[in-house]
Amino acid sequence: MSMLRRYLPILTWGAEYSGQTFINDMIVAVIVTIMLIPQSLAYALLAGLPAEIGLYASMAPLVLYAIFGTSRTLAVGPVAVASLMTAAAAGTIASQGTPEYLGAAVALALISGLLLLAMGLLRLGFLANFLSHPVISGFISASGVQIAASQLGPLLGIKADGHNLLDLVTSLWRNLGQTNLYTAAIGIASLAFLFWVRRSLQPLLRSLGVGKRIADILAKVGPAVAIAVATAVVWGFELPVRGVRIVGTIPQGLPQLSLPPLDLTLWTTILVPALLISVIGYVESISVALTLAAKRRQRIDPDQELIALGASNVGSAVSGGFPVTGGFARTVVNFEAGAETPAAGAFTAGGIALATLFLTPLLFFLPNATLAATIIVAVLSLVDLGALKRTYDYSVADFLAMAGTILATWVEGVEAGLLVGVGLSIFLHLYSTSRPHVAVVGQIAGTAHFRNVERHTVVTDPQVLSLRVDESLYFPNARFLEDRVNEAVAANPAIRHVILECPAVNAIDASALESLEAINHRLKDGGIMFHLSEVKGPVMDRLKRSHFLEELTGRIHLSQYDAVFSINPDLARRTLDAHPAAKKNRDAG
């Protein structure tokens, strides 16, 4: 039964479900449904798909996540970055508006879901750790800017093509003279209203005596108001005849369950984009889920989240949708509105289903410009280019990875940007660890502590070279350590002992072991003994399985002080007794 509860968390929270919890979840569902309808439509258009596909992707995934998910508040559905990546991947298969394009988008959801399910069953959630925070931050910021630029075309009523930021800007500039004034008026007014709602409505409502929770929720449903007003204006003034593009007919009814195209060539072509969408979606989801769960002291199972998101994407695919993941804005609304269980998401799916059955005729005159404004406001909140300076001030390597991700995304597209970011992160990590910090250390008078001779006033023995290596030893830095030891020994002919202090060495691979053996042999040939100190237990266990310890000319010491004491006990003791307080404590002991 415990295994069943692990894979079906609904059995845990469902057993405790009460009438009051039902009421709270239902209230939240109404709020999120109002917010999700315009977002679903907008993100479907961003993905290059018919508007109703966004509604289809907002039903089955929410129900499946309620069954398999471990977060009580995560709101699954279409999101901006996944929609952009879907458009980029499907655009390599066919042109927008064709059945092949739709088939590719649906296949992306299925492949993403299967990959996530496989990763979850194999407990491979740790693979997402290869995406560093600077890379993710840079990718999301770059994608946000690119998405916002792509929506300027619909906002102004002009054509804007391109798979990267440079192409989009060029296309916008070339077609700027064809701006439709009516469309631009609606789009800019919607944009201004939505920015005002986001920044000023909550403070205004608070000043009028509205509670913080209610005021924040009302501010989040601003897009629904903008859509209602814009739709009424377009219908009342018959603006479609003036060139204002509208959503048009949205089919009524629930989606038909079917399998996406089972074409091996298609699957092979979109496998890598599907993997990238899966990993990015998982990182985005797990980040917000863990953050909000911590506030309520709830537990999130990262591997089960892979299964839940995988099932959600499979559900989206068989119901005609495109890739989905946990949305930041919707999840925050879900949390702040008081969602107590994932059932709130299932109820939201019911609200979307009702809207698909009965409300779609009301959206016929919905202007694309207002949906574009909705997307722009949503994605710009994700952009944080100021992180470039903060990251540069802290770590140049992380800055390079972030900047490389942003530039590659803008110049080559989203997939290339992500791959460049991951590649740069791995390369810079390998480069950094290939040249670890190695310090010559000495004993601080009056203590048994050893510190860097360049940072502290210490006591040393000219016949003893104590080196502290601040990195695990593995193939990229093994030769560097050899060179560092050889250089230090060559510079001081008086050295008779070399002690390698290893408090930061968490692993020694086979290449590094060979280097340690080579160091030992060279020092032995020169009449110098080689010692190790502060070797961690797991590292020591592995060394015992080799011949290194048998051939070691020196010894393995528990601490650096023990190592120095075994070589020059008088100096070590005098140094320790140099401080009056230390001597007093030793005498008292």
Side-chain angles (χ1 to χ4, degrees), residues 154-393:
L155 189 84
L156 301 175
I158 61 179
K159 189 175 182 181
D161 296 322
H163 293 293
N164 58 60
L165 185 63
L166 294 178
D167 292 343
L168 281 170
V169 172
T170 301
S171 178
L172 284 167
W173 180 257
R174 185 184 304 119
N175 298 320
L176 193 59
Q178 302 174 15
T179 299
N180 182 290
L181 296 180
Y182 296 98
T183 300
I186 293 173
I188 294 173
S190 299
L191 193 64
F193 173 76
L194 291 173
F195 272 123
W196 176 80
V197 166
R198 180 177 289 270
R199 296 178 180 178
S200 304
L201 181 57
Q202 185 190 39
L204 176 61
L205 292 174
R206 292 297 306 280
S207 67
L208 296 176
V210 179
K212 181 180 183 302
R213 177 180 172 187
I214 300 300
D216 191 59
I217 291 172
L218 290 175
K220 293 293 192 302
V221 299
V225 177
I227 281 177
V229 173
T231 301
V233 169
V234 170
W235 170 75
F237 290 93
E238 299 182 349
L239 294 182
V241 298
R242 305 287 186 180
V244 175
R245 296 180 62 86
I246 57 176
V247 171
T249 302
I250 299 178
Q252 283 183 273
L254 300 177
Q256 300 295 318
L257 298 181
S258 62
L259 287 175
L262 302 177
D263 184 338
L264 183 60
T265 303
L266 170 64
W267 282 41
T268 303
T269 304
I270 62 177
L271 180 61
V272 172
L275 177 61
L276 297 179
I277 291 172
S278 302
V279 175
I280 285 293
Y282 172 68
V283 171
E284 184 177 352
S285 295
I286 199 68
S287 297
V288 65
L290 288 171
T291 300
L292 296 182
K295 294 184 177 181
R296 292 186 180 177
R297 298 188 178 183
Q298 295 170 346
R299 179 179 176 274
I300 300 296
D301 183 342
D303 291 312
Q304 182 61 28
E305 285 300 291
L306 283 167
I307 294 175
L309 290 175
S312 298
N313 276 280
V314 171
S316 180
V318 299
S319 58
F322 60 105
V324 298
T325 190
F328 177 77
R330 289 193 302 274
T331 300
V332 171
V333 171
N334 222 23
F335 178 85
E336 294 180 349
E340 294 188 29
T341 71
F347 298 152
T348 299
I352 298 293
L354 291 175
T356 305
L357 286 170
F358 303 111
L359 299 182
T360 52
L362 300 178
L363 300 173
F364 182 88
F365 288 100
L366 172 59
N368 289 347
T370 300
L371 290 178
T374 300
I375 294 175
I376 291 173
V377 173
V379 298
L380 287 184
S381 65
L382 304 176
V383 176
D384 183 15
L385 296 180
L388 280 168
K389 183 180 185 308
R390 295 194 301 271
T391 304
Y392 177 80
D393 291 340

Side-chain angles (χ1 to χ4, degrees), residues 16-39:
E16 306 168 355
Y17 208 71
S18 65
Q20 185 59 49
T21 303
F22 170 80
I23 294 174
N24 293 340
D25 285 346
M26 186 62 73
I27 293 173
V28 172
V30 172
I31 296 168
V32 177
T33 299
I34 295 172
M35 179 182 184
L36 183 55
I37 291 174
Q39 284 191 350

Side-chain angles (χ1 to χ4, degrees), residues 556-573:
I556 304 291
H557 299 275
L558 186 63
S559 69
Q560 182 66 14
Y561 178 80
D562 290 341
V564 173
F565 184 86
S566 70
I567 297 169
N568 192 338
D570 291 337
L571 178 62
R573 187 182 297 110

Side-chain angles (χ1 to χ4, degrees), residues 127-139:
L127 292 177
N129 296 334
F130 286 99
L131 287 174
S132 67
H133 179 74
V135 169
I136 291 293
S137 176
F139 176 74

